[in-house]
Amino acid sequence: MYHRVIPDDTNFFGGFPMIKLSNLPDQIMKVAKSYEKENETFDVFPAKFLIDNTFYYYIDFVPTFAQLIIREDGTVPPIKEIEKVYLYANGYNASIHVLGTIGEKWRKTYTIKNYYMLKKILEKVRGIFREMEPTEDVKQALETFMKVPDVIIKHQRVINQSVENGRKATVEMRKREIVTVEDYKQMRGYQVDMVRSAYWQNEIQFKTADEREKVMDYLASIRSLSNWRVLWLYHRLKPYQQYMYTKEKNPKEFQEMQDLAEEIFKDIPIEENPQALEHIKYLRNPRR
């Protein structure tokens, strides 16, 4: 849940102006410095948070995990008064972090191209099957295999669009230098859509592993130098089969997916989320 305030030079922010230490109001800078400890520095989130008609600055102390919420008038409210502010501020920051780091790695334009190619290859395999007339279970295995590309492509588009939407919203936030509860909900939505789509991409691979293997085994059994079409299709499919997940090759990823499934789809409101509430301990605001 906790993530550092994203630094000024991250590509996800673009090149627009934002709140930073160099243009922080004097009274806010003075208060933040008063909470700074030895061997620490601090950063400021590049926008103010507007919660319940009041503006707040979000300060992050490095290298510790400590944070500070300062009201625009320079006062440091007790935790009980700004718990909601902190949860939304930290949650918004966390969503940006996930979209701007993990999301940027997941945003792969070549994935869509590759799986369109897989669709074409499997269509050619279907043509071979019409000629060779394999057993019914092998035919059915191919039909199951043929569902994989569409699922991967569909959810890759969601991932790509979620990351792009998050980037655009982040740039807009920098221009406005303001974040609201609605901004948090929007950014969180992009993160949730992205993570769920990645889950479904993995799920279809694990679910179809046996059928994919059955198709590959059949092609291997009928390939020969004299049947160059089958040989060619087998070798075109092999990299896909090697790359895609199976329980045997990827036990760690499979278990992680199983463990995360409930959390991914539950999406508890942040004000009730035990993990989010746990991070309140990092606040340096007064306890009372």
Side-chain angles (χ1 to χ4, degrees), residues 28-45:
I28 303 300
M29 176 67 84
K30 183 177 179 180
V31 171
K33 279 185 173 294
S34 71
Y35 280 82
E36 185 181 24
K37 295 184 179 180
E38 188 176 358
N39 298 321
E40 281 185 348
T41 58
F42 61 87
D43 290 317
V44 58
F45 190 81

Side-chain angles (χ1 to χ4, degrees), residues 45 47-50 92 173 176-181 183-184:
F45 190 81
K48 293 181 286 186
F49 287 85
L50 176 59
Y92 184 85
M173 173 271 290
R176 289 186 287 122
E177 298 184 353
I178 295 171
V179 175
T180 67
V181 172
D183 291 326
Y184 159 77

Side-chain angles (χ1 to χ4, degrees), residues 22-80:
S22 61
N23 59 19
L24 200 60
D26 291 342
Q27 77 272 18
I28 303 300
M29 176 67 84
K30 183 177 179 180
V31 171
K33 279 185 173 294
S34 71
Y35 280 82
E36 185 181 24
K37 295 184 179 180
E38 188 176 358
N39 298 321
E40 281 185 348
T41 58
F42 61 87
D43 290 317
V44 58
F45 190 81
K48 293 181 286 186
F49 287 85
L50 176 59
I51 310 289
D52 296 333
N53 299 313
T54 303
F55 288 102
Y56 299 89
Y57 290 90
Y58 175 37
I59 304 295
D60 177 67
F61 295 94
V62 182
T64 66
F65 292 115
Q67 295 153 348
L68 184 71
I69 301 295
I70 306 175
R71 204 155 53 204
E72 190 178 36
D73 62 5
T75 61
V76 179
I79 288 176
K80 66 180 181 179

Side-chain angles (χ1 to χ4, degrees), residues 12 99-100 102-116 152-168 190-191 193-198 201:
F12 207 63
L99 289 163
I102 297 172
E104 286 291 350
K105 292 177 183 177
W106 288 355
R107 183 170 65 164
K108 303 170 184 175
T109 54
Y110 64 80
T111 296
I112 293 175
K113 180 180 178 181
N114 285 349
Y115 279 90
Y116 267 121
I152 298 289
I153 291 167
K154 172 186 174 181
H155 291 294
Q156 189 62 45
R157 284 179 173 149
V158 173
I159 290 169
N160 293 355
Q161 192 60 56
S162 296
V163 176
E164 180 60 19
N165 288 343
R167 190 194 68 78
K168 288 179 179 178
Y190 298 147
Q191 178 190 350
D193 288 346
M194 180 190 76
V195 172
R196 287 177 178 174
S197 283
Q201 283 185 327

Side-chain angles (χ1 to χ4, degrees), residues 99-210:
L99 289 163
T101 54
I102 297 172
E104 286 291 350
K105 292 177 183 177
W106 288 355
R107 183 170 65 164
K108 303 170 184 175
T109 54
Y110 64 80
T111 296
I112 293 175
K113 180 180 178 181
N114 285 349
Y115 279 90
Y116 267 121
M117 180 59 67
L118 177 59
K119 284 186 68 171
K120 293 180 180 179
I121 295 170
L122 291 174
E123 285 291 350
K124 293 181 185 298
V125 173
R126 182 186 266 168
I128 293 290
F129 276 27
R130 291 195 189 103
E131 297 174 16
M132 304 301 293
E133 297 187 355
T135 59
E136 197 60 38
D137 64 321
V138 174
K139 290 181 183 177
Q140 188 56 52
L142 176 61
E143 295 306 309
T144 300
F145 193 172
M146 294 187 74
K147 295 175 183 177
V148 174
D150 285 338
V151 173
I152 298 289
I153 291 167
K154 172 186 174 181
H155 291 294
Q156 189 62 45
R157 284 179 173 149
V158 173
I159 290 169
N160 293 355
Q161 192 60 56
S162 296
V163 176
E164 180 60 19
N165 288 343
R167 190 194 68 78
K168 288 179 179 178
T170 303
V171 170
E172 181 60 30
M173 173 271 290
R174 275 191 55 168
K175 289 180 182 178
R176 289 186 287 122
E177 298 184 353
I178 295 171
V179 175
T180 67
V181 172
E182 288 306 310
D183 291 326
Y184 159 77
K185 292 178 180 178
Q186 180 186 61
M187 195 68 76
R188 174 66 178 172
Y190 298 147
Q191 178 190 350
V192 168
D193 288 346
M194 180 190 76
V195 172
R196 287 177 178 174
S197 283
Y199 174 90
W200 281 317
Q201 283 185 327
N202 292 342
E203 182 192 49
I204 192 68
Q205 293 177 57
F206 284 118
K207 283 177 65 175
T208 61
D210 291 343

